[in-house]
Amino acid sequence: MTADSLTPSLRKSWRKGAPFFQLEHTDKSSNARTGILHTDHGDILTPIFMPVGTVGSVKGVHLYELTEDIKAQIILGNTYHLYLRPGLPVLEAAGGIHRFNAFDRPILTDSGGFQVFSLTGIRKITEDGCEFRSHIDGSKHFFSPEKVIDIERSIGADIIMAFDECPPGTASYDYARKSLTLTHNWLRRCIHRFNASEARYGYHQALFPIVQGCVYPELRRESARFMSETDAEGYAIGGLAVGEPAEKMYEMIEVVNEILPTDRPRYLMGVGTPANILEAIERGVDMFDCVMPTRNGRNGQIFTWNGIINCRNAKWANDFSPLDAEGTSRVDNIYSRAYVHHLFKAKELLAMQIASIHNLAFYLELVRTARAHILADDYAHWKKAILPQLMHRL
């Protein structure tokens, strides 16, 4: 199967022919890379972690904290959720997502595919698209590849995802094969709609196809080759961290990255732990997102350079040391572990806010530090030394 019926080139010129992605350096000891993503809302230094702002906001985090404490270069929004609430009329009247949520840096939206397909029992998938019922009020909706592109044009993110099906990590080969065919057919339609439409708000939008294929190497290779032929400005790797073992995920990343163009950014969707991120960086991934820093933070889990803390545990009740003495956000040295433990036990909302800010700042510092070691050509050595420390439970 070729991409001839799709388009000679999906990639559209950004700023009169300037590259959308500039590959800077590849580590001599691994496949880890650094680069710069150029968007009309600013440059993004890779590797990068994107805080998840599902409905246009990162849970429990103010704009100032997001930009000044966490130092987020880009955030992620969710097409499914933004379509349902606040809805396209509101977003269009506001002038797009950037003006609506006041985040003037780059934004990426996923296609909503993962959310739609996770609605087991209240959705129906066909060749035409996916019919589903809203988790909010039960109302019926339909997403086709064309409609998803139209929705993402209306939302107005800098980077938008193609509509795909995300099979579970335990899917059979036959199911994964049929799902992959559907994803490729939908991509054709996404590209036709994307090329037939224009960005609504006067700035460039890049469309990333999503490589699928579950845990089957031959399907992953087929999908990576198919996606590569579209000449897109970047590529996403989907359908991982959805139930398969971590080692199988790493294997699939290696399989895909052997084929995807080296001069385009690679985005691993929905991953993951600090260890997952560092392992994927070593295998040539540039972009990440995950709800783990905020979701786990709201439940008392704190990621630090010396290991993982569960602030709900009684052992921290009299520990007046900083939340993370080596941290970079303001909350790390303002609040003690004992105080944050107290807030969680008292069910104070401030506990969840502090934990979310800290964890996101930690993840951003983690990828900045990884970038520095890639540039120093000692990434593999540094990763091997730091991983046991990061994943140790204190």
Side-chain angles (χ1 to χ4, degrees), residues 331-345:
V331 300
D332 294 328
N333 290 311
I334 291 176
Y335 302 113
S336 69
R337 297 172 180 182
Y339 181 63
V340 177
H341 166 78
H342 157 70
L343 293 178
F344 272 110
K345 297 301 287 185

Side-chain angles (χ1 to χ4, degrees), residues 50-56 58 74-78 106-110 267 289:
M50 301 178 285
V52 176
T54 302
V55 296
V58 178
I74 176 174
I75 63 172
L76 178 144
N78 182 266
I107 297 176
L108 178 150
T109 47
D110 64 15
Y267 163 34
D289 81 281

Side-chain angles (χ1 to χ4, degrees), residues 17 67 103 120 125 133 221 267 278 298 347:
T67 55
F103 189 76
T120 304
I125 304 169
R133 291 191 177 276
R221 290 189 183 97
Y267 163 34
L278 294 187
R298 293 194 301 273
K347 299 182 180 180

Side-chain angles (χ1 to χ4, degrees), residues 4-29:
D4 293 342
S5 60
L6 298 175
T7 174
S9 176
L10 172 60
R11 184 170 44 154
K12 294 185 177 182
S13 174
W14 183 85
R15 289 186 182 171
K16 299 181 180 180
F20 181 73
F21 179 69
Q22 174 188 348
L23 181 61
E24 286 184 308
H25 182 75
T26 301
D27 176 51
K28 291 180 180 178
S29 62

Side-chain angles (χ1 to χ4, degrees), residues 138-186:
S139 56
K140 187 180 293 186
H141 302 270
F142 182 78
F143 274 8
S144 67
E146 294 82 4
K147 183 170 183 177
V148 166
I149 294 298
D150 291 345
I151 293 169
E152 292 192 271
R153 288 293 202 193
S154 290
I155 295 171
D158 302 86
I159 302 172
I160 65 178
M161 296 294 116
F163 194 47
D164 67 328
E165 183 184 6
C166 180
T170 56
S172 68
Y173 180 87
D174 287 344
Y175 183 93
R177 159 60 66 190
K178 292 177 182 177
S179 174
L180 187 63
T181 299
L182 189 64
T183 287
H184 288 181
N185 289 342
W186 283 356

